[in-house]
Structure formats: C-alpha cells, structure tokens
Amino acid sequence: MSSPESGSYDATEAAPHGKPRATEWPLWEVFIRGQHGLSHRHVGSLHAADAESAIKNARDVYTRRNEGVSIWVVEAAAIAASSPEEKGPLYEPSNDKVYRHPTFFDIPDDVGAM
Amino acid sequence: MSEPLFEFLCRMGDNTLVLGHRVSEWCGVAPVLEEDIALANTALDLIGQTTLWLNLAGAVEGKGRDADALAFRRDVWEFRNVLLVEQLNGDFGQTMMRQFLFDLWHKGMLIALQGSSHDQIAAIAEKSLKEVTYHLERTTDTVIGLGDGTDESHNRMQKALDRLYPFVGEMFVSDDVDAAMVAESIAPDPADLRPVFDARLDEVLSDATLVRPTSDFAHKGGKSGQRHSEHLGHMLSQMQWLQRAYPDATW
C-alpha cells in the first residue's frame, strides 16, 4: 500500500488482531504486476498454508481475468508498517516544501513514464 | 455402437461435463474461501472444455445437436464418462483425490491428443492442456499436503484413495472405439498412457505417505455407457431439470 491512510496490516503492532487460531492458515499479502504495469501493486490478501500455495491461491483469486504476468506474495506478519497515528510527524513536514517536487520542469516525451 | 469418432468425443466431453458439475457442487460450501474459488475455477475450466468437445461431437454427428442438446437432452445410458468422475464428492479430501487421479490421466491424454491427425481435436487438446496442467499442479500439492499432513488428514486421504482406486483402471481400458481412433491416428490407445500415469502416481503417493492399494480390480461400464453407477442419474436430474421442464428456455 502506498499511503498509511489506506489501512494497516493485521500483523503489525499498530493493529493487533490477536494470534491466529491454530487451525487457521497465515495471512498473505498479494502483489501483482499487470500486463503493462511497471511495478507490482498490492491487490489484496488471502490465507494459505505456505508460500507456494499462496501463489496458487493468488492465481485463482486475483488473476483469472488475465490481470497479471507476475505474482508476489509476502506473509502479512513479515511486513513492517508505519503507524497511522504518526502521520503528522512523518509526512506533514514535506507539505510546505514544494521545491522537493520536480514540478518546475517540462519532461520530454522521450523520457517515458516516470 | 454409433460412429466411433462421435463416441470418442462424447467420452471426452462427458468426462469434463460430469466432473465439472460435480466440482461445481462445492461452490459456496468449500472449507475455505480460497479453495472455494479455486474449485469454481476448475469447474468452469472443465465446463468450457465440455463446450468444445460436445460441439465438435454434435458437428461430427450431423443431426443438428449442439453441446447444450447433448449435455441436457441425453439420458443416463447415453453418457460416456468414466465412472470415476460421477462418484460423489465425499469430504474435501475425497474430492481432491478424485480430481488428482483424473487430472493425472487427463494430462497424459491431452498431451497425446495434441498430436492427433484431427486438427480440431489437436487444437482443443492444446487449449485444454494449459488449464489441466494447472489443475494437476494444484491437486498434486493438495494430495501431498493432506496425505503428509496430520493424522486426520492422512487417514482421510488414504480412505479416499482406497475408495477411488477401483475406478482408476477404467480410464486405461481399450475397446473398439479406441481401436478405431488409433487406426486413424486420432487418439492414443488408453492402455499406452498407463506406465507414465503409474510412475507419477507412485511418486506422488510416496511423497504423500499414502499406500497404493494392491488390488487392480477395476469397475467398468462408464465409458461404454453399459453400467453407470446410481450417482449419475441423480446428478443429471439436478443438472438437466431446467431444460427438461422448460425446453429451449432462454434468458
């Protein structure tokens, strides 16, 4: 996920969901690179017993309509996420520093996507 | 016996039709959401393949029947699927074992059919093989995972294997239809597919810590249509109900 506002991960300290039940498969986050996509995007999450079956499940749940050419899965518990409460100190200082954004240049078409 | 090519195509199409319908019975009630979706995908793949096989069968027959007419307007004794695919779903393990045994045969058959002298059959085989390769990967992993899993899952998988193994033999029995297909290089002799099937089955069962039954007794009568099990009639009464009650109904 690209911004802390869009949600938090189950397994982070910021959003404790308790321990999974013993009979429950771990949660995996799924990232898919689309046909013309440049990078993998987070598309959702699912449960699976291991990484291999997580990829198979991701294939079935998220790519049946030809969405992807590449799948990444990562166990949700392995993701470190910033905490939504720290939004202010982390991001607001950059709001008034427009010179940090390269908006004053005309980008030549030949450069392509940036 | 009607025309051998028609018979053969009905066998291919009825296998995928009956198994596709059986698998679709899991829709909404599978043990976990991810498996539910995966099973529905498998069912849809199989029904898609059915459309190709049975439309071709109808065209070969030349009596104006299409895939829908063949699927929904034939009675039990006209079906040509092997007995394995009409067996009840049972528990999830039994469904997975049935699927694995069929996928393993199916893949070998489709690989051979890619080299068929009949262009359309070769094309259908090539398209189906991509789907079936994935089906087999998935069921192989599941059979190994559950077989080599907990005591409970292991016991259930062994039970499923013991129960379904007597239906394996029929997939490799050759008859007059097969001989006619071999003579025209349309399809392989099913018996020739057995060694590859056996070798892979032994590997997977060994990884799954499951024991292959020693008896090679095989129930027969599905692909010839002579003796289906009682389950098929019940399934068809559900599957065909709408077209029987309201013939030619459309959306």
Side-chain angles (χ1 to χ4, degrees), chain B residues 199-240:
Chain B
R200 183 63 185 143
L201 179 63
D202 282 337
E203 279 174 14
V204 174
L205 291 183
S206 152
D207 287 349
T209 70
L210 297 172
V211 181
R212 182 173 174 164
T214 45
S215 167
D216 266 335
F217 169 77
H219 293 291
K220 297 185 198 79
K223 73 181 248 185
S224 67
Q226 283 168 341
R227 196 168 50 253
H228 280 285
S229 60
E230 64 171 302
H231 306 306
L232 182 61
H234 293 286
M235 198 199 93
L236 292 186
S237 67
Q238 272 204 332
M239 190 182 87
Q240 298 180 331

Side-chain angles (χ1 to χ4, degrees), chain B residues 88-101:
Chain B
L88 296 174
N89 284 339
D91 59 18
F92 181 71
Q94 192 176 319
T95 293
M96 283 294 131
M97 183 58 78
R98 183 188 62 200
Q99 190 71 36
F100 167 69
L101 295 170

Side-chain angles (χ1 to χ4, degrees), chain A residues 36-90:
Chain A
H36 307 291
L38 295 168
S39 56
H40 288 71
R41 296 179 73 87
H42 183 246
V43 294
S45 53
L46 48 74
H47 290 91
D50 55 31
E52 260 177 58
S53 56
I55 287 182
K56 286 201 170 65
N57 286 346
R59 180 264 190 202
D60 274 306
V61 176
Y62 293 113
T63 70
R64 279 288 295 184
R65 288 164 201 86
N66 225 0
E67 292 93 336
V69 293
S70 167
I71 300 174
W72 285 352
V73 293
V74 58
E75 218 181 319
I79 292 178
S82 63
S83 157
E85 288 89 63
E86 291 173 40
K87 187 168 82 159
L90 277 178

Side-chain angles (χ1 to χ4, degrees), chain B residues 1-2 6-7 10-11 14 18 65 70 73-81 83 86 221-230 232-234 236 240 244:
Chain B
M1 188 174 78
S2 59
F6 174 72
E7 283 282 312
C10 284
R11 290 174 178 183
D14 288 347
V18 172
R65 293 202 284 183
L70 288 169
R73 306 277 179 85
R74 282 179 304 157
D75 219 326
V76 180
W77 52 84
E78 294 169 283
F79 272 74
R80 294 293 181 265
N81 57 282
L83 297 173
E86 68 196 43
K223 73 181 248 185
S224 67
Q226 283 168 341
R227 196 168 50 253
H228 280 285
S229 60
E230 64 171 302
L232 182 61
H234 293 286
L236 292 186
Q240 298 180 331
R244 298 277 189 187

Side-chain angles (χ1 to χ4, degrees), chain A residues 25 46-47 52 56-57 59-61 64, chain B residues 32 34 37-38 41 45 134 137-138 141:
Chain A
W25 292 334
L46 48 74
H47 290 91
E52 260 177 58
K56 286 201 170 65
N57 286 346
R59 180 264 190 202
D60 274 306
V61 176
R64 279 288 295 184
Chain B
V32 293
E34 288 81 357
I37 293 170
N41 285 341
D45 286 345
Y134 178 73
E137 253 180 57
R138 197 176 174 96
D141 285 357

